[in-house]
Amino acid sequence: MKSFYNYTLNELEDLVTSIGQKSAHARTLFTQVYKKQIDSFENIENISLELKEYLIKNISLELPKVVKEQVSTDQKTVKFLVQMNDGRTVETVLVPFEKKYTICISSQVGCAMKCSFCFTGTQGLTRHLDSTEILAQYVLAFKWLKKNMPEKSAPPNIVFMGQGEPLHNIEQVKKCLGILFTTEGLHLGPRQVTLSTAGYLPGLRDFNDLMGINLALSFHSPFDEQRNELIPLNKAYPLSEIIKQLKTINLRKRQFLTFEYLIIKDMNHSLEHIERIKELLTGLPVIFNLIPFNEFPGSPYKRPLMKDVEWFKEQLSESGFHTMVRTTKGDDILAACGQLNTK
Ligand code: SF4
């Protein structure tokens, strides 16, 4: 059976008309499944009986199974271990951010990029997720939120920061976004979505196809040699080429590129780093997001002292870069950045 979540609105209209029904029924279905979260075709209203029977027989509204659910000790961050049809699992995390929730979504099982600071990177790539599997993570985390915190009913924001390099799977990410942005469905806007990349240049070249979403680059060091160690992908696509490509991205007024900067103890937060950053990035609309490194079992790096993080933040701010420090949520369930693992 094909999944309902695999269809764009246009594809659903084609399906509905191919069985002799009015295309308007496709819009009704989108609204009731995505906005009203009706999870059985029997309960869909205002469609013909014939269409209802067809859908029940041929299309599935089933979501992947959540095989484990962990809530952090502060009761705010929730991590789901989601099992796909072939038994592979990925993690999806619901994270509170200011007044809203954000859903951190995985785009692949494992990841090919092998970043040395990343728990997921230790596993290698098992496979890409398809658009249905990516979208289903959002739908099931949103359902959980509506059930458990009904006061938080607005569709949460999304960050593609879970397992995988989303630009390595850009076609499936693009299809998923098209469905999420559909007015009759969840009607998310590009401002609500941030995609984080390690700098996968072939995908970055097509970034403008992703409808104006926000981009976050895992930067971590302005020196290629050091970045090669942290992100081996940098050997193939060095910083100079990435920065050149970033300059071609169409940004809205007041839209910034986020540069994620993992601060690792005694490694990448000296005055030389500041000077090189100024040389490379002055003039680019960049916001720095500093992330004190989270140690994981067997990690080769150490967490920095907070006073060093604050010093680096001040230096960047004084150099004219808007800079924030990300407070880590959910460390106790390993749901912080770079700590996801399918095991
Ligand atoms: S940090 Fe991102 S790109 Fe790098 S290995 Fe981990 S999941 Fe892949």
Side-chain angles (χ1 to χ4, degrees):
M1 249 195 203
K2 198 165 169 182
S3 170
F4 181 88
Y5 303 104
N6 190 249
Y7 286 90
T8 63
L9 182 57
N10 283 343
E11 288 168 350
L12 196 62
E13 282 171 345
D14 289 347
L15 176 76
V16 167
T17 51
S18 75
I19 55 164
Q21 302 290 312
K22 287 187 193 136
S23 68
H25 287 326
R27 295 195 284 280
T28 307
L29 281 162
F30 245 62
T31 304
Q32 295 194 37
V33 170
Y34 287 111
K35 276 205 175 93
K36 299 193 175 161
Q37 299 197 340
I38 293 175
D39 49 15
S40 143
F41 288 124
E42 273 101 354
N43 299 330
I44 300 268
E45 292 170 349
N46 302 325
I47 58 168
S48 66
L49 191 61
E50 212 180 333
L51 178 57
K52 203 178 266 196
E53 281 171 358
Y54 175 87
L55 293 168
I56 292 168
K57 264 196 217 140
N58 296 289
I59 306 291
S60 164
L61 272 175
E62 217 175 296
L63 289 164
K65 235 192 276 160
V66 174
V67 288
K68 193 169 169 189
E69 189 181 299
Q70 283 173 281
V71 181
S72 61
T73 42
D74 65 3
Q75 298 290 309
K76 287 183 177 158
T77 302
V78 190
K79 185 167 79 168
F80 306 96
L81 188 64
V82 182
Q83 188 173 49
M84 302 302 170
N85 283 340
D86 64 353
R88 304 282 183 200
T89 53
V90 295
E91 286 173 351
T92 307
V93 190
L94 200 50
V95 200
F97 187 69
E98 291 173 354
K99 284 184 189 153
K100 266 193 130 176
Y101 261 84
T102 293
I103 301 177
C104 177
I105 286 190
S106 296
S107 55
Q108 297 175 316
V109 182
C111 182
M113 304 305 152
K114 295 197 171 7
C115 301
S116 59
F117 53 83
C118 173
F119 210 17
T120 307
T122 59
Q123 307 166 78
L125 176 68
T126 303
R127 69 171 176 87
H128 295 303
L129 294 179
D130 67 23
S131 66
T132 309
E133 293 169 321
I134 299 172
L135 178 67
Q137 295 171 65
Y138 183 87
V139 174
L140 67 84
F142 186 22
K143 276 185 192 246
W144 186 96
L145 192 64
K146 267 198 157 175
K147 186 170 157 214
N148 293 283
M149 299 182 195
E151 71 285 2
K152 307 262 181 202
S153 58
N157 293 344
I158 302 184
V159 289
F160 283 91
M161 284 186 190
Q163 289 160 32
E165 162 56 64
L167 291 183
H168 191 207
N169 190 17
I170 189 166
E171 283 309 315
Q172 299 302 315
V173 168
K174 190 161 90 184
K175 180 168 181 186
C176 169
L177 290 177
I179 297 173
L180 288 165
F181 290 173
T182 303
T183 316
E184 291 80 357
L186 287 161
H187 198 192
L188 260 73
R191 285 182 172 80
Q192 288 181 264
V193 183
T194 301
L195 179 148
S196 176
T197 177
Y200 184 68
L201 197 59
L204 208 51
R205 291 193 184 109
D206 293 330
F207 189 79
N208 283 331
D209 295 346
L210 298 182
M211 299 162 267
I213 63 170
N214 302 307
L215 180 72
L217 173 73
S218 294
F219 187 62
H220 310 326
S221 175
F223 296 111
D224 276 318
E225 211 172 284
Q226 202 163 53
R227 210 167 173 271
N228 289 347
E229 179 192 325
L230 293 166
I231 306 175
L233 180 72
N234 192 72
K235 292 177 201 157
Y237 308 119
L239 270 173
S240 56
E241 286 184 40
I242 293 171
I243 291 169
K244 201 161 116 199
Q245 193 58 40
L246 291 180
K247 290 180 180 164
T248 69
I249 290 179
N250 304 325
L251 295 173
R252 293 181 302 273
K253 254 191 197 166
R254 291 192 288 280
Q255 187 181 8
F256 286 85
L257 300 165
T258 302
F259 275 38
E260 309 275 1
Y261 202 110
L262 206 54
I263 309 267
I264 299 172
K265 190 166 192 269
D266 300 331
M267 186 175 188
N268 58 352
H269 46 92
S270 70
L271 205 50
E272 287 78 53
H273 288 87
I274 296 286
E275 290 306 323
R276 183 70 183 141
I277 287 171
K278 285 200 277 192
E279 273 170 39
L280 284 178
L281 303 180
T282 299
L284 258 188
V286 168
I287 288 186
F288 274 96
N289 195 3
L290 307 184
I291 310 155
F293 177 69
N294 293 305
E295 288 174 38
F296 57 83
S299 70
Y301 306 114
K302 293 271 172 256
R303 192 174 173 91
L305 299 173
M306 273 324 281
K307 74 169 177 45
D308 292 341
V309 176
E310 284 305 325
W311 178 85
F312 199 66
K313 176 178 184 259
E314 266 166 42
Q315 295 298 315
L316 283 172
S317 301
E318 281 170 20
S319 307
F321 297 104
H322 187 69
T323 307
M324 298 176 291
V325 177
R326 189 196 289 169
T327 48
T328 311
K329 298 181 177 91
D331 299 47
D332 59 309
I333 55 168
L334 282 189
C337 181
Q339 294 193 329
L340 297 185
N341 193 315
T342 51
K343 283 182 192 142

